[in-house]
Amino acid sequence: LAFSSSPPETILWALEGNGRIYIPTINHLQIVQATPDQTIPFLIRPFWKDGFAGPDQLTLVGETLYGCPLGGPTKSSADGDKTVTQRDWAADIWEDIKDASMGHFLVGYDPENEAVWFIYSGSERNSSNFWKSEWWMYGVPQQHWIGHGEFTSSTKDQVVTGIMTGADYLEILNGGREP
């Protein structure tokens, strides 16, 4: 069977959770849900009105989605068909990131620290002229920002290109040019 998103869009990747498939696209976050109708077994529709620039910009922690679409850090709590999208929770870091290219952010969950990481990959060059990446940690139990820092080196680039949650840890892939 073949189904199209509504409206049809280019799918960047997919995230499964809560009996759904979340599909970030350039214009929306789409959602795929099963139906009891055998002729139309899946329903695909927009979930967030914001688009994404690439993969690794969305993570699911329990029933809460955390992401960094083009409009900035966003979270939502989904219950059936009702969706609440929130941005005010990121007000504490908005002044730091408002001019950032949201397409350069990666988002992942860190089970060890119970935190969601927002990493601005290639945020700027350091004093040695190598790229660095800046990060912020949002504590899920605390419901506020619990950390901020950067990956930087005086001998090589520290551009974050991937982020993944393992069984009980967060893995971050970074690197770049060396002299």
Side-chain angles (χ1 to χ4, degrees):
L1 297 172
F3 293 90
S4 176
S5 60
S6 176
E9 297 193 44
T10 301
I11 295 171
L12 300 172
W13 70 296
L15 174 68
E16 178 274 327
N18 295 333
R20 303 173 171 160
I21 301 173
Y22 299 95
I23 303 173
T25 71
I26 293 169
N27 298 310
H28 299 97
L29 174 62
Q30 301 276 345
I31 185 173
V32 179
Q33 289 181 284
T35 72
D37 186 347
Q38 290 184 2
T39 58
I40 304 174
F42 300 102
L43 177 64
I44 303 173
R45 63 179 174 83
F47 193 64
W48 287 355
K49 295 178 181 177
D50 234 345
F52 292 80
D56 295 331
Q57 292 188 303
L58 186 69
T59 192
L60 184 65
V61 182
E63 293 186 5
T64 303
L65 280 171
Y66 294 87
C68 196
L70 298 175
T74 306
K75 77 175 182 174
S76 69
S77 189
D79 181 19
D81 284 336
K82 183 180 177 196
T83 304
V84 178
T85 304
Q86 304 169 11
R87 288 217 168 102
D88 57 347
W89 65 280
D92 291 345
I93 68 164
W94 184 248
E95 197 59 36
D96 292 342
I97 67 169
K98 68 180 180 185
D99 296 324
S101 173
M102 295 304 158
H104 286 234
F105 273 85
L106 291 92
V107 180
Y109 179 63
D110 177 358
E112 184 178 349
N113 293 300
E114 295 183 83
V116 178
W117 284 62
F118 287 77
I119 302 172
Y120 183 19
S121 181
S123 57
E124 64 183 355
R125 291 183 187 265
N126 63 20
S127 59
S128 300
N129 205 29
F130 289 102
W131 288 104
K132 65 181 184 175
S133 295
E134 197 168 357
W135 58 264
W136 294 263
M137 275 180 27
Y138 184 78
V140 175
Q142 299 90 342
Q143 292 294 294
H144 64 82
W145 298 95
I146 60 171
H148 174 245
E150 58 187 36
F151 300 115
T152 188
S153 170
S154 61
T155 61
K156 62 183 178 178
D157 287 334
Q158 293 294 303
V159 176
V160 176
T161 58
I163 189 167
M164 181 198 86
T165 301
D168 58 352
Y169 62 92
L170 180 72
E171 189 159 327
I172 298 169
L173 179 63
N174 68 335
R177 85 186 146 97
E178 297 182 25

